[in-house]
């Protein structure tokens, strides 16, 4: 067993502290937040081990691991500090926002031998799980083209979320560039493929400047000098295949139903997904597989633990397993536990805990996380250069035992 310190007690943290608390492989859970009252409230609500005064106090303590749930642009430096302090690290997405930060995490993991895992929900998305099974069986033939969309309109809960986390200056942070948060779209595609054989090698990206005029996605306000709310990237893979992803923040789409969706086209078969339906197709016909991929709610959206979450975001916090998920592999203590993001939360926690306790690589380890994240960083730069096609560095594979 190991102890863990949570860095950040915002909207998502409580969903995960509850699962870590239930897991038989975890002992004490501590929490810190820049707003101490939030950490204190979470500890009191869930009966956790206690609070610590700061990130630095967590690193100086004897906790074995940390979970990074801070603002998304802060992850990279905090992860490296934690690893260098001898802590295993679970990090919310994205891994980091620059190539140097991503490379520094990979190097720190390589040098320390500690466990790092990025909590990418789309790796466990029912569509990705379904497509991965067909890739492994060879049903698709050669997958030559795939698509991943993260389509979540700012009006559907994000304004409230940024106000909650950003304080008075929330508009400056709400302009966060779409392609610096690429993993819900790209991770769901690459998570179904063999990334050793099919990682990204180049990208061209175009963005659409925002026209709302409310101070969000305004370059004069943005801490990221960003006015783009929607972006589309075309990636070249190392095996000659092509992937297209969309990151959309102004879009007429019911993201509360399915904010990430995917398509895979192979020489022998294909798979396509929309908001409420999913189809497997081969040269003989079409099969509706929607029922296999539909997730059920794990708790009510009116659960008191979600009182601080915008109603438009609550579906993501409660959606549970789908028939394609292998729930038998999860600890029995998770039965009836809350879940989220189409059943991914419980798998995320279990995979990290298992990796730490068995000293094995988690599925979304540092090298896989880099392949999910770095292409988006380069795509953002391509967008800034008007769509110029740019090479994407690959940081390789983990060292063999």
């Amino acid at each position: 067993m190991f102890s863990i310190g949570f860095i950040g007690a915002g909207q998502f943290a409580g969903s995960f502290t509850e699962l870590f608390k239930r897991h038989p492989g975890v002992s004490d859970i501590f929490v810190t937040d820049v707003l101490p009252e939030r950490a204190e409230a979470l500890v009191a609500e869930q009966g956790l081990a206690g609070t610590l005064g700061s990130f630095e106090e967590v690193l100086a303590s004897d906790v074995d691991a940390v979970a990074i749930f801070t603002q998304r642009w802060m992850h990279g430096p905090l992860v490296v500090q934690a690893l260098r302090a001898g802590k295993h690290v679970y990090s919310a997405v994205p891994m980091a926002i620059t190539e140097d930060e991503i490379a520094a995490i990979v190097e720190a993991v390589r040098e320390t031998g500690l466990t790092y895992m990025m909590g990418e929900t789309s790796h466990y998305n029912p569509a990705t799980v379904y497509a991965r099974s067909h890739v492994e069986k060879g049903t698709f033939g050669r997958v030559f083209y795939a698509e991943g969309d993260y389509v979540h309109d700012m009006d559907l809960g994000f304004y409230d979320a940024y106000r909650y986390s950003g304080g008075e200056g929330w508009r400056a942070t709400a302009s966060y560039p779409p392609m610096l948060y690429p993993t819900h779209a790209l991770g769901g595609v690459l998570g179904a493929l063999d990334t050793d054989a099919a990682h990204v090698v180049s990208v061209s990206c175009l963005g659409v400047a925002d026209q709302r005029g409310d101070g969000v996605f305004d370059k004069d306000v943005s801490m990221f000098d960003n006015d783009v709310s929607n972006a589309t990237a075309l990636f070249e893979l190392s095996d000659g295949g092509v992937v297209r992803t969309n990151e959309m923040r102004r879009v007429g789409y019911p993201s509360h139903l399915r904010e990430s969706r995917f398509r895979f086209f192979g020489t022998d078969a294909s798979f396509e997904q929309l908001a409420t339906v999913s189809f497997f197709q081969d040269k003989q016909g079409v099969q509706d597989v929607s029922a296999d991929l539909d997730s059920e709610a794990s708790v009510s959206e009116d659960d008191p633990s979600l009182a601080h979450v915008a109603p438009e975001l609550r579906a993501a916090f409660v959606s549970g397993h789908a028939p394609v998920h292998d729930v038998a592999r999860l600890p029995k203590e998770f039965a009836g536990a809350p879940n989220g993001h189409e059943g991914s939360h419980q798998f995320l926690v279990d995979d990290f805990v298992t990796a730490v306790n068995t000293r094995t690589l988690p599925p979304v380890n540092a090298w896989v996380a880099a392949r999910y994240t770095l292409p988006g960083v380069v795509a953002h730069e391509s967008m800034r250069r008007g769509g110029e096609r740019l090479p994407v560095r690959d940081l390789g594979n983990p060292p063999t035992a």
Side-chain angles (χ1 to χ4, degrees):
M1 298 178 71
F2 65 91
S3 57
I4 188 167
F6 266 67
I7 314 302
Q11 291 185 311
F12 264 112
S15 299
F16 284 87
T17 50
E18 173 68 22
L19 292 173
F20 275 99
K21 180 183 175 183
R22 289 180 181 237
H23 201 291
V26 177
S27 56
D28 293 331
I29 300 172
F30 296 87
V31 183
T32 190
D33 194 279
V34 293
L35 299 175
E37 61 272 19
R38 288 187 180 175
E40 292 163 1
L42 179 56
V43 167
E45 176 186 338
Q46 296 187 0
L48 306 178
T51 63
L52 291 168
S54 66
F55 176 62
E56 290 72 24
E57 284 191 31
V58 174
L59 297 192
S61 74
D62 59 0
V63 299
D64 303 298
V66 299
I68 308 292
F69 280 82
T70 63
Q71 300 275 36
R72 57 193 68 176
W73 57 89
M74 299 171 64
H75 296 167
L78 295 181
V79 168
V80 172
Q81 283 182 257
L83 289 166
R84 296 298 182 188
K87 313 298 184 184
H88 303 287
V89 177
Y90 176 95
S91 175
V93 294
M95 184 181 194
I97 63 170
T98 72
E99 180 174 340
D100 287 346
E101 290 177 353
I102 292 169
I105 292 173
V106 171
E107 187 61 23
V109 173
R110 188 190 305 275
E111 291 182 359
T112 64
L114 294 166
T115 299
Y116 167 88
M117 179 172 165
M118 182 178 73
E120 178 41 56
T121 58
S122 287
H123 185 87
Y124 306 87
N125 185 288
T128 300
V129 173
Y130 178 81
R132 186 158 57 231
S133 70
H134 281 291
V135 169
E136 291 171 350
K137 291 183 291 188
T139 317
F140 287 131
R142 180 193 178 194
V143 178
F144 58 88
Y145 178 79
E147 298 178 349
D149 301 330
Y150 182 59
V151 279
H152 195 139
D153 191 89
M154 289 286 292
D155 289 330
L156 298 182
F158 275 167
Y159 276 83
D160 287 341
Y162 277 109
R163 289 189 188 101
Y164 185 86
S165 62
E168 293 183 0
W170 68 273
R171 283 184 174 83
T173 65
S175 60
Y176 189 85
M179 278 296 161
L180 294 186
Y181 195 75
T183 59
H184 287 339
L186 189 57
V189 173
L190 297 181
L193 305 177
D194 178 1
T195 57
D196 289 349
H199 55 267
V200 174
V201 296
S202 72
V203 61
S204 176
C205 179
L206 293 174
V208 178
D210 196 57
Q211 296 181 348
R212 175 69 69 86
D214 63 355
V216 176
F217 299 113
D218 181 335
K219 281 192 174 183
D220 292 334
V221 176
S222 171
M223 65 178 287
F224 308 101
D225 189 35
N226 177 58
D227 65 353
V228 169
S229 53
N230 297 325
T232 298
L234 190 65
F235 300 97
E236 175 194 12
L237 300 184
S238 56
D239 68 349
V242 175
V243 170
R244 191 272 299 144
T245 68
N246 283 315
E247 290 287 344
M248 297 180 175
R249 307 296 180 264
R250 300 287 194 201
V251 54
Y253 178 85
S255 59
H256 61 284
L257 296 180
R258 178 174 285 138
E259 62 187 3
S260 295
R261 63 185 195 179
F262 305 98
R263 296 180 179 182
F264 296 83
F265 291 87
T267 53
D268 296 332
S270 58
F271 165 73
E272 296 187 81
Q273 185 177 52
L274 294 173
T276 60
V277 293
S278 302
F279 297 100
F280 175 82
Q281 300 141 161
D282 60 19
K283 297 175 183 179
Q284 284 70 52
V286 179
Q287 178 183 359
D288 187 333
V289 297
S290 304
D292 293 330
L293 308 184
D294 288 344
S295 58
E296 297 183 356
S298 59
V299 297
S300 169
E301 292 185 23
D302 296 325
D303 191 274
S305 66
L306 300 176
H308 62 293
V309 178
E312 298 87 352
L313 290 177
R314 291 179 187 174
F317 284 74
V318 305
S319 54
H321 297 127
V324 295
H325 283 132
D326 179 17
V327 296
R329 52 151 283 196
L330 295 170
K332 67 180 187 305
E333 289 83 357
F334 279 4
N339 212 329
H341 282 88
E342 300 197 59
S344 65
H345 290 188
Q346 293 185 9
F347 290 103
L348 287 164
V349 171
D350 185 55
D351 276 343
F352 177 71
V353 174
T354 299
V356 171
N357 283 330
T358 62
R359 296 298 189 266
T360 55
L361 281 171
V364 189
N365 56 67
W367 291 266
V368 172
R371 286 172 171 167
Y372 288 4
T373 310
L374 181 53
V377 173
V378 181
H380 177 65
E381 180 61 26
S382 169
M383 181 195 75
R384 291 171 64 90
R385 299 189 192 184
E388 179 182 348
R389 184 176 175 181
L390 299 176
V392 177
R393 175 187 175 192
D394 184 61
L395 297 177
N397 299 312
T400 56

